């Protein structure tokens, strides 16, 4: 019988009969699956002790090792288990399927000898006699990162730099004197996995203070603390009352009454019909760009950006953008594309910074973000201006792309920090 005849028969079947057919087919599938699962049953009544692994070799790497071995010829072998201490107290356990002849052990605190106990384990959870192996991991990544730490003064705080070419996930714990009890306490924690760590911590007066930084990893290991005595650089919030529109021909067309001055009116939410800056498509396509003056010459340290709350990670909220600046009294318009490298010059303009708005902290994809992601946007996002960027009197934002992939862009508020020149 061909497919056309099958279709005709199905059309002739009454709904009740079709339902019976579906139930029968579904039950058959379930029985088939159950039978397949039985072929891989995890437990066994065979309580015989399996033989141990043999011909063990070790290949060390940073913070761990890969152990290779020959499996015993036990018929009901389920997995090989490794037990080991990664420091003086913490015991880890790693398992590897009987399909493999290697097992990975990691999380060791130092580059030194550690003992690892291997057991072959049967389907009845019976362990073989132990095989003890010595590993000597290379220097753990968190220790390598600690060795490359550099702490320098920054505007309103400190800047932490370190090398992380392997892009390992590590935590930075910043320690400083707590004024309430005059004791050293952790005052800032962050987790990073970038190849080049460059992280600033702000909120401190320009007086000498003791700061310390320690590195942690995902296994709970903590490095020793690098302490420095330094004085944060003075910075101030730029006076927004001195800001003014400096509209240029290449600036985007304004849409829906969301004018440029709303970017510095101090309002970051959309409560009560509050507006920000919003572009629209004009008669001729233009860059998603806005230009304004900040009143006098400043060396910028960082800025806060509040995206449109109702748009979250979507619509016209900036995703990748470039900030250009000019120290000229009346800078001439020029082509200033988004995505340009720091220091790029175009006419009277120079790139102060090239930025990516952080991905949703939850790790969820745009369109599926949660309340925590929305709160992250509502709080405003802090962006560093590279220390070697020139001083500026004028600022231009060029939005390269948005979270919604739109041809328009919007922002609610901007705040800049730095020092007057």
């Amino acid at each position: 019988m061909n497919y056309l005849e099958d279709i005709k028969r199905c059309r002739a079947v009454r709904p009740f009969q079709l339902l019976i057919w579906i139930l029968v087919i579904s039950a058959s599938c379930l029985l088939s699956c159950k039978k397949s699962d039985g072929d891989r049953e995890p437990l066994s009544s065979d309580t015989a002790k399996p033989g141990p692994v043999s011909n063990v070799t070790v290949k060390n790497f940073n913070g761990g090792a890969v152990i290779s071995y020959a499996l015993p010829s036990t018929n009901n072998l389920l997995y090989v288990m490794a037990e080991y201490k990664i420091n003086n107290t913490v015991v880890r356990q790693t398992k590897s399927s009987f399909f493999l002849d290697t097992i990975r052990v990691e999380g060791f605190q130092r580059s030194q000898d550690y003992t690892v106990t291997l057991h072959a384990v049967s389907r009845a959870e019976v362990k073989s006699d132990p095989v003890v192996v010595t590993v000597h991991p290379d220097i753990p990544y968190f220790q390598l990162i600690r060795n490359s730490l550099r702490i320098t003064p920054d505007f309103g705080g400190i800047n932490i730099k370190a090398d992380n070419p392997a892009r390992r996930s590590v935590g930075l714990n910043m320690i400083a004197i707590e004024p309430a009890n005059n004791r050293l306490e952790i005052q800032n924690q962050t987790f990073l996995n970038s190849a080049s760590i460059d992280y600033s911590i702000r909120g401190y007066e320009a007086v000498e203070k003791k700061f310390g930084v320690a590195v942690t990893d995902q296994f709970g290991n903590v490095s020793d603390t690098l302490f420095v005595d330094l004085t944060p650089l003075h910075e101030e919030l730029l006076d927004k009352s001195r800001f003014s529109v400096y509209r240029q021909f290449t600036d985007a067309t304004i849409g829906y009454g969301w004018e440029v001055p709303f970017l510095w009116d101090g309002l970051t939410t959309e409560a009560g019909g509050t507006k920000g800056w919003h572009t629209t498509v004009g008669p001729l396509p233009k860059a998603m760009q806005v230009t304004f003056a900040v009143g006098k010459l400043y060396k910028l340290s960082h800025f806060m950006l509040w995206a449109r709350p109702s748009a979250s990670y979507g619509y016209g909220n900036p995703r990748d953008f470039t900030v250009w600046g000019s120290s000229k009294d009346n800078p001439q318009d020029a082509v200033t594309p988004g995505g340009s490298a720091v220091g790029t010059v175009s006419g009277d303009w120079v790139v102060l910074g090239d930025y990516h708005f952080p991905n949703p902290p939850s790790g969820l994809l745009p369109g599926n973000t949660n309340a925590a992601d929305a709160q992250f946007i509502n709080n405003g996002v802090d962006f560093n201006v590279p220390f070697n960027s020139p001083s500026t009197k004028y600022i231009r934002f060029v939005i390269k792309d948005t979270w919604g992939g739109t041809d328009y862009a919007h922002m609610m508020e901007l705040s800049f920090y730095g020092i007057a020149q």
Side-chain angles (χ1 to χ4, degrees), residues 223-260:
S223 74
D224 64 319
T225 304
L226 173 62
F227 283 104
V228 295
D229 293 304
L230 52 78
T231 303
L233 304 177
H234 169 74
E235 72 169 358
E236 60 190 70
L237 174 65
L238 273 60
D239 183 359
K240 296 183 182 182
S241 68
R242 301 176 65 95
F243 289 16
S244 61
V245 178
Y246 191 70
R247 183 164 181 78
Q248 301 290 284
F249 175 77
T250 56
D251 283 349
T253 305
I254 298 299
Y256 317 107
W258 285 47
E259 301 290 344
V260 179

Side-chain angles (χ1 to χ4, degrees), residues 88-296:
N88 292 331
T89 56
V90 178
V91 176
R92 294 201 74 217
Q93 188 180 91
T94 306
K95 296 179 181 180
S96 181
S97 165
F98 68 91
F99 291 112
L100 304 174
D101 60 359
T102 61
I103 193 165
R104 184 183 179 95
V105 292
E106 58 185 335
F108 296 103
Q109 186 180 43
R110 303 186 185 284
S111 179
Q112 64 181 40
D113 285 348
Y114 292 89
T115 58
V116 178
T117 302
L118 301 176
H119 287 279
V121 183
S122 73
R123 290 178 178 271
E125 294 293 332
V126 176
K127 294 181 181 179
S128 71
D129 291 333
V131 174
V132 178
V133 184
T134 298
V135 300
H136 191 114
D138 298 333
I139 299 174
Y141 285 106
F142 81 98
Q143 295 283 14
L144 291 173
I145 294 167
R146 161 62 182 86
N147 294 342
S148 71
L149 275 181
R150 289 95 69 195
I151 307 174
T152 57
D154 202 348
F155 289 99
I158 64 172
N159 177 259
I160 305 167
K161 287 186 173 67
D163 302 322
N164 183 21
R167 294 181 176 272
R168 306 296 289 191
S169 294
V170 294
L172 297 181
N173 292 340
M174 192 278 283
I175 301 166
I177 294 291
E178 175 56 47
N181 55 25
N182 200 36
R183 296 176 58 182
L184 285 169
E185 294 184 359
I186 294 177
Q187 297 192 1
N188 186 279
Q189 294 178 295
T190 189
F191 296 90
L192 304 164
N193 61 1
S194 54
S196 180
I197 293 172
D198 186 347
Y199 181 67
S200 292
I201 302 170
R202 309 188 191 279
Y204 294 92
E205 296 180 0
V207 296
E208 188 176 77
K209 192 178 185 71
K210 183 181 289 294
F211 295 92
V213 177
V215 182
T216 66
D217 68 8
Q218 67 192 88
F219 305 102
N221 294 312
V222 183
S223 74
D224 64 319
T225 304
L226 173 62
F227 283 104
V228 295
D229 293 304
L230 52 78
T231 303
L233 304 177
H234 169 74
E235 72 169 358
E236 60 190 70
L237 174 65
L238 273 60
D239 183 359
K240 296 183 182 182
S241 68
R242 301 176 65 95
F243 289 16
S244 61
V245 178
Y246 191 70
R247 183 164 181 78
Q248 301 290 284
F249 175 77
T250 56
D251 283 349
T253 305
I254 298 299
Y256 317 107
W258 285 47
E259 301 290 344
V260 179
F262 289 132
L263 280 174
W264 54 79
D265 64 1
L267 303 175
T268 62
T269 71
E270 295 174 84
T274 299
K275 298 177 180 179
W277 167 76
H278 198 309
T279 75
T280 190
V281 178
L284 295 174
K286 292 186 177 183
M288 296 180 287
Q289 170 185 305
V290 60
T291 309
F292 53 94
V294 294
K296 56 182 178 180

Side-chain angles (χ1 to χ4, degrees), residues 292-312:
F292 53 94
V294 294
K296 56 182 178 180
L297 187 66
Y298 282 95
K299 181 170 179 57
L300 299 179
S301 56
H302 66 114
F303 62 91
M304 296 286 295
L305 186 158
W306 283 267
R308 188 175 182 181
S310 63
S312 189

Side-chain angles (χ1 to χ4, degrees), residues 373-391:
D373 298 322
Q375 189 60 51
F376 177 74
I377 288 179
N378 292 346
N379 291 341
V381 179
D382 195 8
F383 296 90
N384 275 349
V385 176
F387 194 81
N388 59 352
S389 292
S391 300

